[in-house]
Amino acid sequence: KFPIGPVVLARMTGAVIMPGFTVIGPDGKYKAFVDSIVDMEWTDNKEMDIKINLEKLVKILEKNILKYIDQWYNFTYLWK
């Protein structure tokens, strides 16, 4: 249920994906940061490429949600 657009676009163009986040620090100021570049894997199987690479992005998202759990809000229902 995660958007596949970034992975599809990266596959079509060869672009890299660098997940970025903005959080509020203890001082009340916003801090923006970019996580590591995600190493994409491309094959002749488009559907499998999307699945594998989207899973990599989700792991980075999970890591940052856990780090800043009090600042996470999702506007789309994903989990049951």
Side-chain angles (χ1 to χ4, degrees):
K1 293 198 176 193
F2 285 88
I4 64 170
V7 175
V8 172
L9 186 60
R11 189 176 192 276
M12 290 172 54
T13 64
V16 299
I17 296 180
M18 297 176 16
F21 302 90
T22 303
V23 297
I24 300 173
D27 58 359
K29 295 181 180 179
Y30 287 94
K31 174 179 85 169
F33 63 94
V34 177
D35 211 305
S36 302
I37 292 174
V38 181
D39 291 324
M40 297 281 137
E41 299 177 38
W42 306 126
T43 66
D44 292 333
N45 186 333
K46 180 180 178 181
E47 290 178 16
M48 187 58 68
D49 288 353
I50 291 170
K51 181 182 183 312
I52 289 169
N53 291 300
L54 188 58
E55 287 174 0
K56 290 179 179 187
L57 292 174
V58 169
K59 285 181 184 180
I60 292 172
L61 182 62
E62 288 174 338
K63 176 185 76 172
N64 285 288
I65 288 172
L66 289 173
K67 191 172 180 181
Y68 302 100
I69 192 72
D70 61 322
Q71 298 185 44
W72 169 253
Y73 183 79
N74 186 16
F75 293 97
T76 305
Y77 187 74
L78 296 176
W79 297 279
K80 292 184 179 183

